[in-house]
Amino acid sequence: IYVTSTKNNGGFYKSIDGGSNWKIVVSGNYFDMTVNPNNFNEVYISNENSVQKSIDGGVTFKKIVTGLTLTNSRRISISISPSKTTKVYALIARASGSADIGEVYFFNAANESWKLIYTLPNSFFTVGTSGQGWYDNAIAVHPKNDNVVLVGGIDVYRTNNNLSYSNVTNSYNGGNVHPDQHIIKFDPKDNKVVYLGNDGGIYVSIDTGKTWSRFSTKLAVTQYYKMDIDQTRFYRLYGGTQDNGSHGSFGTTSIVTDKWKSIYGGDGFYTTVDQADPNYVYAENFNGNNINRITISNTGSTGNKNMDPNGKINDDGAWSSPMAMSSVDKKSFYSGQTFLWRTRDIGTNWTK
């Protein structure tokens, strides 16, 4: 069994006893791995700025980087072509200022060199001016047609000729697929079927990645960072989720209900019920940004007020920054960022 991992004790691991014991062969942040389906001793692994190859079952590796542009490289994903195993494809994210560039390469084993075949548009890895190639980065090759390749960044792009790639999800332009793609897998029994994992769940395509539908509507997989309870109503609670907004439960008989509704978009984190009037709830985005006071009815949200429209705080906190309201005076609202901030007038003035 082979495994690659990042972060704590990251590296390439190998087990020869079915996973009972593991040996780390190469240390570091290794984001991806692909194995020749016809020869399990041939293994490719990738980190931020290199691709490495083993021909002895992961005992030793050598770098194969000839032809790759690795300047400011942030992450590399790789996939071997099952139908033509002399071809390996790579998706590279390279920083360009605060944005990220996406490039697709393929590797020819005959001369052990890479060739750039396509440069993706800036929007592939970048939202606004912020590059996400370190986070959204995936690639897959059709099991029987090495010219059909899917690459994932903010959206999924597809090619059937390696000459041009087209956006097949259009997450921010009317598409039905959530942004931020992390894994793409073809079904080994039916190659028309492709599975896609992203920040919104699991999606499936039955036409080799041309169109998509959500597959995970019945799966309880939404990640909540924090929740708060309305102590004045039965079954009423609120929470912020990973890249799926902030929600509230508006059922009257149970919290296990289909009456959960979105009250605020983007990445959700802490939510806080107003201590003086539970018809108001506070929600935020990452780093404590965009704190909003949401007006609540018995059926959902009806409006919101930006608590810091002029950026008076100007102090990015942690990814998930805490918020709280005083139960003593029921008007002092606190945001814990690099510093602790307080407002007593719904954001008109903030004190550090």
Side-chain angles (χ1 to χ4, degrees):
I1 304 173
Y2 305 133
V3 171
T4 54
S5 66
T6 62
K7 303 302 180 183
N8 295 334
N9 299 314
F12 172 81
Y13 287 79
K14 179 179 178 180
S15 172
I16 59 174
D17 55 9
S20 296
N21 295 281
W22 293 89
K23 178 183 179 181
I24 186 166
V25 180
V26 184
S27 298
N29 292 327
Y30 283 86
F31 294 100
D32 208 358
M33 171 179 59
T34 190
V35 181
N36 185 338
N38 302 324
N39 177 7
F40 297 152
N41 287 320
E42 186 178 322
V43 185
Y44 299 82
I45 59 177
S46 61
N47 57 16
E48 298 98 328
N49 54 21
S50 75
V51 179
Q52 298 173 35
K53 178 182 179 181
S54 173
I55 58 173
D56 55 13
V59 176
T60 60
F61 284 88
K62 73 171 183 177
K63 286 186 178 181
I64 48 169
V65 296
T66 301
L68 293 177
T69 300
L70 297 171
T71 305
N72 299 321
S73 178
R74 305 186 74 190
R75 178 172 173 175
I76 304 173
S77 293
I78 50 178
S79 182
I80 197 168
S81 167
S83 63
K84 195 171 184 178
T85 56
T86 56
K87 277 189 175 181
V88 180
Y89 289 83
L91 172 63
I92 299 182
R94 295 194 301 111
S96 177
S98 62
D100 281 347
I101 299 169
E103 297 171 332
V104 182
Y105 291 80
F106 80 80
F107 176 74
N108 190 326
N111 56 18
E112 293 211 331
S113 65
W114 295 90
K115 179 181 179 181
L116 175 65
I117 56 175
Y118 197 76
T119 300
L120 294 149
N122 290 340
S123 58
F124 179 77
F125 274 141
T126 304
V127 176
T129 59
S130 179
Q132 296 186 184
W134 59 272
Y135 179 65
D136 314 321
N137 198 313
I139 187 169
V141 184
H142 190 285
K144 293 183 179 179
N145 184 347
D146 65 286
N147 288 316
V148 175
V149 182
L150 301 176
V151 291
I154 307 300
D155 279 296
V156 175
Y157 280 63
R158 181 184 186 276
T159 184
N160 59 12
N161 57 18
N162 276 319
L163 298 176
S164 63
Y165 282 71
S166 59
N167 190 336
V168 292
T169 52
N170 293 292
S171 298
Y172 288 115
N173 293 292
N176 66 331
V177 175
H178 197 285
D180 300 341
Q181 317 307 322
H182 300 296
I183 188 168
I184 308 167
K185 291 294 181 183
F186 281 89
D187 190 304
K189 294 183 178 180
D190 184 350
N191 301 154
K192 291 181 180 179
V193 177
V194 194
Y195 298 98
L196 172 66
N198 59 35
D199 279 6
I202 303 170
Y203 291 76
V204 63
S205 170
I206 57 174
D207 55 11
T208 66
K210 296 174 186 175
T211 60
W212 299 86
S213 59
R214 194 169 183 183
F215 190 62
S216 57
T217 54
K218 300 295 184 180
L219 297 178
V221 294
T222 303
Q223 176 190 353
Y224 280 85
Y225 284 104
K226 289 292 181 179
M227 306 191 83
D228 197 15
I229 298 173
D230 180 347
Q231 301 288 353
T232 69
R233 298 181 177 97
F234 289 112
Y235 314 118
R236 182 67 62 86
L237 66 157
Y238 304 91
T241 71
Q242 157 59 24
D243 205 16
N244 281 264
S246 297
H247 306 153
S249 64
F250 293 90
T252 56
T253 59
S254 170
I255 60 171
V256 184
T257 173
D258 61 356
K259 298 187 184 299
W260 282 80
K261 294 185 179 180
S262 173
I263 62 170
Y264 191 53
D267 288 274
F269 294 94
Y270 278 73
T271 54
T272 301
V273 179
D274 192 290
Q275 294 282 331
D277 186 348
N279 292 312
Y280 296 106
V281 176
Y282 302 88
E284 64 177 351
N285 292 146
F286 52 83
N287 303 126
N289 294 325
N290 300 320
I291 301 171
N292 270 247
R293 186 192 198 211
I294 317 295
T295 305
I296 300 294
S297 72
N298 284 328
T299 58
S301 60
T302 60
N304 61 290
K305 175 186 184 296
N306 189 334
M307 295 272 285
D308 190 20
N310 299 315
K312 295 177 181 177
I313 295 180
N314 191 27
D315 174 28
D316 277 353
W319 177 247
S320 179
S321 291
M323 302 187 301
M325 195 170 199
S326 170
S327 59
V328 178
D329 68 7
K330 300 184 185 303
K331 67 178 182 179
S332 295
F333 178 88
Y334 297 89
S335 173
Q337 301 189 27
T338 304
F339 299 95
L340 179 63
W341 296 84
R342 180 182 64 197
T343 179
R344 288 175 169 158
D345 50 17
I346 320 174
T348 300
N349 296 286
W350 287 90
T351 302
K352 181 166 71 175

